[in-house]
Amino acid sequence: MAEKYHALFRGPLTVFMALIGLTSGVAQLAGIPTRTGQWVLTAVFLASLLYFVVRVWQLGFVVRIRELRAELLEATKSLALQQAGHQHYLDAIQRISEREKPLFSETLDVLVTVGSDDDSDRIVEKRVTTPEPLVTHRTMRPIVLTDTDRLARLDEISFKALRPVGGTITALPLEQTRLLRIWLIFDPAMTTPTEWQVEYRPRGLWGPLRERGWDQLVWEDRLPTASGTPSAFTRFVVTFSFPESDQPPSVKERSGYGRMAEPRRDARGRWEVVWRDEKPAGRRYVWDLTQAVGG
């Protein structure tokens, strides 16, 4: 380090001393009066000093930029290694969760709110989980837009996991792609039937429905349990809530699974359509939704 800065100062210092010496020699050879020579030497000294300071600052700035670039490159490499290691952990957790069969049964009630604009789209999933015999963690995929390449993150959908009684839920992202996947850790572990819920705001989820008047929602019930039943669900209910409109909306499950109630207005004037399946069996549900454009 000392040698580097010695080399840095040596050039400007040599120029500075040479200018002073040259000016002094010229003044003596030319026979310039003493007082005038003093002024000339002073002016040259100040100009040389200014040059020396500016030049040293400039060279020092260049050296510092090179140092910062080297530090940034090193930090980038270190961060890449850390991210790679972190991703290995996430991949391992995901593989483990995919191989495990649920050691629980549960009821699921989903409230799907079709907002009047992108910001008011909302999903609430309420569950009552019965452990068989213990549940410490699980994974889930929230309902988000899948027809875009934009990544989905927990903070973007305002994801919240709530356990009203007897503990907390920590939510960690496992996969932040078009199909967001979340790891939920229960503290303490569930040992008795437990009520809990998640809620989130997938902004713009129902934008196509508002724009063209029709859209669809797909739900994969692929949770075969350790006991051999095709689904961990013992009851599955979805309530679709639509904005107030003169024309009632419609919802239809494409394969005819479950039972659909007629649209009705709630206390706020919004339309509600309730669908339920009292005997889930590991199915793929597809609901077709229609509403009046601008409704």
Side-chain angles (χ1 to χ4, degrees):
M1 183 67 71
E3 292 180 356
K4 179 177 66 176
Y5 283 101
H6 177 72
L8 176 67
F9 292 134
R10 184 169 54 193
L13 183 61
T14 300
V15 174
F16 174 68
M17 297 304 295
L19 286 174
I20 294 298
L22 180 61
T23 303
S24 176
V26 170
Q28 292 178 2
L29 291 174
I32 299 175
T34 303
R35 188 171 184 81
T36 303
Q38 291 176 348
W39 281 105
V40 171
L41 284 174
T42 300
V44 172
F45 174 79
L46 293 176
S48 301
L49 180 62
L50 179 61
Y51 166 81
F52 175 76
V53 171
V54 171
R55 185 59 178 165
V56 168
W57 178 85
Q58 182 184 27
L59 293 176
F61 181 75
V62 170
V63 170
R64 185 55 182 158
I65 289 296
R66 291 175 180 172
E67 290 176 347
L68 291 175
R69 284 178 178 172
E71 292 174 4
L72 178 60
L73 180 60
E74 187 65 27
T76 301
K77 291 180 179 178
S78 177
L79 180 60
L81 290 174
Q82 291 179 7
Q83 289 177 336
H86 180 65
Q87 189 60 46
H88 285 315
Y89 282 104
L90 296 181
D91 292 342
I93 293 171
Q94 188 161 318
R95 289 196 300 272
I96 290 171
S97 66
E98 288 174 348
R99 292 169 186 165
E100 284 187 345
K101 292 184 177 180
L103 297 175
F104 60 84
S105 60
E106 70 182 12
T107 62
L108 172 61
D109 291 81
V110 181
L111 173 60
V112 177
T113 300
V114 178
S116 56
D117 54 33
D118 287 352
D119 292 327
S120 52
D121 292 337
R122 182 169 175 258
I123 305 289
V124 178
E125 302 180 22
K126 296 183 178 181
R127 303 172 189 255
V128 177
T129 300
T130 301
E132 299 173 0
L134 180 73
V135 175
T136 59
H137 67 95
R138 62 180 298 178
T139 61
M140 65 165 293
R141 290 190 185 276
I143 302 171
V144 295
L145 280 169
T146 58
D147 57 353
T148 174
D149 292 331
R150 188 167 178 268
L151 298 183
R153 299 201 313 266
L154 289 187
D155 56 342
E156 288 183 344
I157 64 174
S158 303
F159 186 89
K160 296 179 181 178
L162 308 172
R163 187 173 174 178
V165 179
T168 60
I169 305 173
T170 301
L172 300 174
L174 277 181
E175 181 183 349
Q176 298 191 99
T177 62
R178 292 187 307 138
L179 297 175
L180 177 63
R181 188 167 189 154
I182 301 172
W183 188 28
L184 301 173
I185 301 98
F186 302 98
D187 185 25
M190 296 182 190
T191 55
T192 59
T194 303
E195 178 182 348
W196 60 282
Q197 73 177 55
V198 298
E199 57 182 63
Y200 46 97
R201 296 182 178 276
R203 186 180 186 278
L205 176 66
W206 298 114
L209 178 62
R210 285 184 288 272
E211 293 172 4
R212 65 194 181 197
W214 61 270
D215 204 350
Q216 69 177 27
L217 175 64
V218 179
W219 187 290
E220 296 276 359
D221 176 19
R222 303 297 186 192
L223 290 175
T225 63
S227 61
T229 57
S231 174
F233 294 149
T234 57
R235 190 189 75 225
F236 185 18
V237 179
V238 183
T239 301
F240 297 90
S241 176
F242 296 85
E244 183 178 2
S245 174
D246 294 336
Q247 301 179 25
S250 69
V251 180
K252 181 180 180 181
E253 204 291 312
R254 191 171 296 179
S255 300
Y257 297 134
R259 293 186 294 107
M260 191 77 65
E262 293 296 322
R264 65 177 181 83
R265 293 183 185 271
D266 63 12
R268 299 170 296 171
R270 293 179 58 89
W271 289 101
E272 275 192 357
V273 180
V274 179
W275 171 93
R276 65 179 63 242
D277 189 348
E278 298 293 348
K279 294 182 178 180
R283 301 174 175 129
R284 182 178 189 266
Y285 301 100
V286 181
W287 297 278
D288 293 305
L289 289 69
T290 63
Q291 71 169 21
V293 175

